[in-house]
Amino acid sequence: KLIFNLLESCQGSSLLFQLLGEVLTQERNLSQACDAFNRALMVDPKNYMAMGFLAGVTQDQPLLEKAVAIVEEKIKSAPMYPDQHNDLGRMLLENGDFSKAAQCFGEALMQNPGYTEARVNLAMALGGQKLYREALIELGQIDIKTLRVYHLMGSYFYEMGRFAEALRSFRKAAATDAGYENLCSRLSTLEAYFQRIFHIIELHRHALETHPDYPDLHCQ
């Protein structure tokens, strides 16, 4: 809503149209996302981020290659700017090239270890490669953990089968915004899972109390 409000007075802002496109992409509103990215490129044909994200939505490989070439040229002229490496990584991440994206985020962090956005993005690139333990190590280094960080941690703990830690992370995320993405459904699934386990434990304890001479019950 904020972006829409800003666009009412800044119709000539390529960056705002790009950001709107990114939000719509996250919401899976791909048709309107394409429109927003195209509007961004109408204002600024060299907006490589809009170009790269549009390529991800439309699966346009030549457009992605064009966007990558633009940002790589910028990196050549200013290799010590971590945000350029992060930008390239974001485009590659959006287009499913998780390994190369991770390299870009790693380069950004070599130049600025305190670059939180790049560290979160690196965790996402590692998660995309199913390297969940490594992704969690990166997220664990972030001092002030946001809703997004807790949600990612919960997701990776869940994929590893570490359900108790996943539940704790999702609950921390829900304390900020319970309506974030699929948080409610994931919490409900995990809470129901643990309720079933506790119910089975209670049934077993009751069986032990009522049948203390059954050795098999003590071994289970």
Side-chain angles (χ1 to χ4, degrees):
K1 185 176 180 180
L2 175 61
I3 296 174
F4 280 114
N5 291 338
L6 289 171
L7 279 170
E8 289 181 2
S9 56
C10 302
Q11 287 288 322
S13 173
S14 179
L15 176 59
L16 283 178
F17 280 116
Q18 172 204 319
L19 291 174
L20 176 60
E22 291 183 38
V23 171
L24 292 167
T25 301
Q26 290 297 316
E27 295 176 350
R28 308 308 299 167
N29 192 339
L30 301 184
S31 176
Q32 289 191 29
C34 286
D35 289 342
F37 289 133
N38 279 316
R39 290 288 297 275
L41 290 170
M42 286 175 61
V43 176
D44 178 7
K46 292 186 178 181
N47 183 334
Y48 56 84
M49 292 302 295
M51 206 179 293
F53 274 87
L54 179 60
V57 174
T58 60
Q59 298 296 292
D60 188 332
Q61 187 63 27
L63 185 62
L64 173 62
E65 290 172 0
K66 181 179 178 180
V68 168
I70 292 172
V71 72
E72 284 183 339
E73 191 63 32
K74 286 181 174 291
I75 288 173
K76 284 181 183 177
S77 61
M80 300 306 293
Y81 287 5
D83 59 313
Q84 303 282 13
H85 295 281
N86 185 63
D87 283 349
L88 178 56
R90 287 182 64 212
M91 286 195 299
L92 295 171
L93 182 65
E94 189 66 24
N95 283 271
D97 195 340
F98 302 118
S99 179
K100 287 184 180 178
Q103 293 175 18
C104 294
F105 299 133
E107 181 63 34
L109 287 166
M110 283 181 63
Q111 296 178 19
N112 180 6
Y115 195 169
T116 300
E117 182 187 344
R119 196 169 298 282
V120 172
N121 289 335
L122 174 56
M124 293 174 66
L126 293 168
Q129 299 174 77
K130 301 187 185 304
L131 300 173
Y132 303 122
R133 180 178 176 276
E134 291 82 352
L136 285 164
I137 289 172
E138 293 299 329
L139 294 172
Q141 295 183 59
I142 298 173
D143 293 330
I144 301 175
K145 294 178 174 56
T146 61
L147 164 65
R148 184 185 183 199
V149 171
Y150 280 125
H151 187 270
L152 286 172
M153 291 177 70
S155 299
Y156 298 149
F157 279 131
Y158 185 89
E159 292 296 335
M160 295 174 70
R162 293 164 62 175
F163 298 139
E165 290 158 297
L167 181 59
R168 282 196 292 270
S169 295
F170 285 139
R171 280 177 171 168
K172 288 177 180 178
T176 301
D177 182 3
Y180 182 74
E181 291 193 3
N182 56 358
L183 197 50
C184 286
S185 62
R186 302 196 78 167
L187 273 172
S188 296
T189 299
L190 283 169
E191 287 169 348
Y193 168 77
F194 281 107
Q195 284 173 1
R196 287 195 297 271
I197 290 178
F198 293 146
H199 181 62
I200 292 170
I201 291 172
E202 288 304 314
L203 288 175
H204 192 78
R205 283 176 175 168
H206 178 70
L208 285 172
E209 291 171 359
T210 55
H211 301 87
D213 298 327
Y214 284 19
D216 288 349
L217 288 173
H218 293 272
C219 295
Q220 292 179 1

